[in-house]
């Protein structure tokens, strides 16, 4: 027999599904055509050579080769420059 009256319900037990964002192939790893290299929200990393950008800002390989990262300067509309990482697929 219960010694207390029933309490209220908990309201903060729901959680969203994980989105699994981040780098999927690192520098020096081999990429095939269509392989996802980076999943991201917004263009934190910009596409470079032999790389495409999906509508959800996913960076993927357009050719076979080795993944490489480099830093680039990106100029905004107001002339402000920011440093970003660029993703390349280097063919052999």
């Amino acid at each position: 027999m219960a010694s207390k009256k029933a309490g209220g319900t908990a309201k903060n037990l729901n959680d969203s599904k994980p989105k699994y964002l981040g780098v999927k192939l690192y520098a020096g790893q081999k990429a095939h055509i269509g392989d996802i290299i980076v999943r991201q929200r917004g263009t934190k990393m910009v596409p470079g050579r032999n790389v495409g950008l999906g509508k959800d800002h996913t960076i993927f390989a357009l050719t076979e080769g080795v993944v490489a990262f480099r830093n680039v300067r990106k100029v905004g509309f107001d002339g402000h420059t920011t440093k970003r990482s660029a993703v390349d697929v280097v063919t052999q």
Side-chain angles (χ1 to χ4, degrees):
M1 191 171 213
S3 60
K4 291 198 180 222
K5 193 174 169 183
T9 60
K11 294 179 180 174
N12 61 347
L13 295 178
N14 296 336
D15 199 4
S16 60
K17 291 181 182 176
K19 303 300 181 225
Y20 303 108
L21 302 175
V23 178
K24 306 300 179 188
L25 290 176
Y26 293 94
Q29 287 186 307
K30 191 167 172 110
H32 300 288
I33 297 172
D35 280 356
I36 293 173
I37 302 170
V38 179
R39 277 213 181 267
Q40 58 188 350
R41 293 289 172 257
T43 51
K44 292 181 170 130
M45 295 186 179
V46 295
R49 289 178 228 108
N50 301 320
V51 168
L53 186 68
K55 68 177 184 177
D56 62 345
H57 305 287
T58 296
I59 296 177
F60 59 93
L62 294 174
T63 60
E64 290 201 14
V66 178
V67 177
F69 293 91
R70 61 187 165 95
N71 291 325
V72 294
R73 280 190 303 245
K74 191 169 193 286
V75 180
F77 294 111
D78 58 352
H80 183 75
T81 60
T82 56
K83 288 184 182 177
R84 296 281 173 90
S85 289
V87 184
D88 299 321
V89 172
V90 181
T91 56
Q92 296 152 344

